[in-house]
Amino acid sequence: MTPAVQVALKLASSKTGRKVIGGVLLLLLGLVVLFVVCFGSFFAVLMGLSLNGDLYYPLINSTRITEPYDPDRVIIHEYEVEVEKTRPVLDEEGNPVLDEDGEVVTETYTETEIRREEIESPHWGVDFEVREGSYVVACAGGVVKRVYHDDEEGNVVEIEHADAKNTTRYLHLENVLVSVGQDVILGQPLGKVGLSGECTPYRESETNVHLEVLDASGEAIDPAGVLKPWGQYLDIPTELVKEVAGAEWQDWMVSEIEGDIVWNGEAYMWPVPGHTRISSPFGSREMDGEQESHSGIDIPAPAGTPIYAAAPGVVSTNAHWSYGICVKVSVDGQTTNVYGHMLARAEGITDGVQVEAGQLIGYVGSTGNSTGNHLHFQVNVNGHAVDPMPYFG
């Protein structure tokens, strides 16, 4: 008989011992129940995100639809044709030249004419504004039903979402990272955006992704009406894409500004070089028919556009939820600059870090209380928002 069994029998022989054994067993049972509940909750959340019927955007760096769902779409195709025509030959005085029989002498010439042709081209999905090198991700969890390539649709991935009772189709991919029969989870990369197939008939196409959503009966529905923004779940696809992209992760977010950025020590630097339009200025503005006070300026730019510190300071990431992913830079004891609605912060931009003017701090996005990709830039002086424009000199 082992020592452990002997101790257990000795404890069981007394009333106090039996209470101790009972207490230990209850404690172990409680720990088991707690583990099961916690694991079950986590699993339920993961499954809920993947299979509860919600569909999220197929890109983590764009929500802007450039070509909407339109089953009745008609494309106007304009093209040039060379038409051969005749005209009278004129003399130096501008009079028609006559031949020996008194007939007007003519000459042939070629003229370019522009003609228009209406072409029925139903659009059964939506196209998104994207940046080259971006990854297309699964709108929800499911099973890959088909993977194929044809001349019109290019590289295609089709995913069946059993619990959601629908199917999503991703067209014109540059490459494909999944296979038929494979289980995919919400936000899993399916391939890069591309131009395979015929993206848009008779138009000069840019890199894009075309998404279609089919209901339980196999009929196409408007994806714009069912897609949800990533919001608080943005980290899910971001981490999955990072894992697949590896060293290429920031390729689609690389700055196009050449040379070093140098602060002059006085006026603020513009935080989004190359994008100077302000879509909403500081001060009073009308939103949804009501007047409100806008505490900063909005600078629209494509998702993933680099954001640079307008002035040096110390970073804080603590901000109101409405700013989404945000960076606050304390310039001095009174002045703080706020950069809101970011897609992501740049590597190394964490609380307490000192940044220099012109240092990369993040990327334009539409997180938080936002209706489109832009940077909300705000200047607070002693806790009160002031007009940022004078700070740029």
Side-chain angles (χ1 to χ4, degrees):
M1 184 179 297
T2 64
V5 173
Q6 292 176 350
V7 171
L9 290 175
K10 186 175 182 179
L11 285 173
S13 65
S14 67
K15 186 176 182 180
T16 302
R18 286 193 294 274
K19 287 183 178 180
V20 171
I21 292 174
V24 171
L25 291 175
L26 285 174
L27 177 61
L28 291 174
L29 179 61
L31 291 174
V32 170
V33 170
L34 180 62
F35 173 79
V36 170
V37 170
C38 291
F39 179 79
S41 298
F42 172 77
F43 184 75
V45 169
L46 181 61
M47 293 303 293
L49 284 175
S50 300
L51 302 172
N52 66 356
D54 289 341
L55 296 178
Y56 292 82
Y57 281 98
L59 297 152
I60 62 175
N61 62 332
S62 179
T63 58
R64 181 173 177 267
I65 292 175
T66 56
E67 188 76 25
Y69 171 85
D70 184 5
D72 302 316
R73 183 179 69 170
V74 174
I75 291 179
I76 306 299
H77 175 213
E78 289 191 351
Y79 58 98
E80 296 180 350
V81 295
E82 299 293 329
V83 180
E84 191 175 90
K85 296 184 176 182
T86 60
R87 61 190 173 193
V89 177
L90 305 179
D91 60 21
E92 294 180 355
E93 297 178 353
N95 299 316
V97 175
L98 303 179
D99 62 16
E100 56 187 25
D101 295 325
E103 299 292 332
V104 175
V105 178
T106 60
E107 62 180 358
T108 59
Y109 68 99
T110 301
E111 186 175 276
T112 301
E113 290 185 355
I114 297 178
R115 295 184 179 176
R116 292 164 58 89
E117 179 183 10
E118 293 187 355
I119 302 172
E120 292 185 3
S121 178
H123 199 236
W124 300 111
V126 293
D127 294 345
F128 291 91
E129 174 188 72
V130 297
R131 291 175 68 96
E132 184 177 358
S134 299
Y135 282 82
V136 179
V137 301
C139 296
V143 179
V144 178
K145 186 177 180 181
R146 289 202 299 164
V147 173
Y148 64 91
H149 174 90
D150 70 23
D151 293 339
E152 182 177 345
E153 298 180 337
N155 295 319
V156 181
V157 172
E158 192 170 299
I159 300 177
E160 188 175 49
H161 312 284
D163 286 15
K165 296 182 174 59
N166 57 33
T167 299
T168 51
R169 304 182 71 242
Y170 312 78
L171 282 62
H172 309 304
L173 301 178
E174 177 185 310
N175 62 334
V176 174
L177 300 174
V178 293
S179 57
V180 174
Q182 180 179 342
D183 291 323
V184 296
I185 62 175
L186 172 71
Q188 183 169 337
L190 306 176
K192 284 187 178 182
V193 298
L195 282 174
S196 61
E198 297 179 5
C199 287
T200 306
Y202 305 111
R203 290 187 183 177
E204 291 185 4
S205 300
E206 297 179 355
T207 303
N208 77 337
V209 61
H210 173 89
L211 172 73
E212 295 179 2
V213 178
L214 311 180
D215 63 18
S217 66
E219 296 294 322
I221 61 175
D222 186 356
V226 296
L227 293 176
K228 292 179 174 292
W230 286 100
Q232 61 181 315
Y233 304 128
L234 181 64
D235 287 346
I236 296 173
T238 299
E239 289 305 315
L240 293 170
V241 170
K242 278 185 179 181
E243 184 177 345
V244 170
E248 296 181 353
W249 160 240
Q250 295 194 22
D251 280 359
W252 57 271
M253 293 201 262
V254 170
S255 170
E256 296 178 355
I257 305 301
E258 296 182 358
D260 295 331
I261 301 174
V262 181
W263 188 44
N264 63 10
E266 298 176 359
Y268 277 12
M269 296 176 50
W270 193 253
V272 193
H275 299 274
T276 56
R277 184 173 74 86
I278 296 175
S279 58
S280 184
F282 174 83
S284 180
R285 67 178 180 181
E286 184 176 318
M287 289 290 287
D288 299 325
E290 297 183 2
Q291 290 296 124
E292 68 170 21
S293 179
H294 189 221
S295 56
I297 58 174
D298 289 347
I299 306 170
T305 301
I307 300 169
Y308 301 93
V314 179
V315 169
S316 168
T317 60
N318 182 26
H320 192 271
W321 68 267
S322 62
Y323 290 115
I325 297 175
C326 178
V327 169
K328 297 166 71 176
V329 178
S330 297
V331 180
D332 52 40
Q334 291 79 39
T335 308
T336 300
N337 298 331
V338 180
Y339 307 79
H341 307 308
M342 290 182 173
L343 170 68
R345 301 183 190 96
E347 185 176 358
I349 301 301
T350 57
D351 292 339
V353 170
Q354 174 76 40
V355 295
E356 300 301 324
Q359 182 173 338
L360 179 66
I361 59 172
Y363 308 95
V364 171
S366 187
T367 57
N369 188 13
S370 170
T371 57
N373 295 310
H374 72 283
L375 168 67
H376 172 86
F377 180 74
Q378 179 175 327
V379 177
N380 292 338
V381 177
N382 294 322
H384 299 284
V386 298
D387 186 357
M389 293 309 294
Y391 285 78
F392 294 105

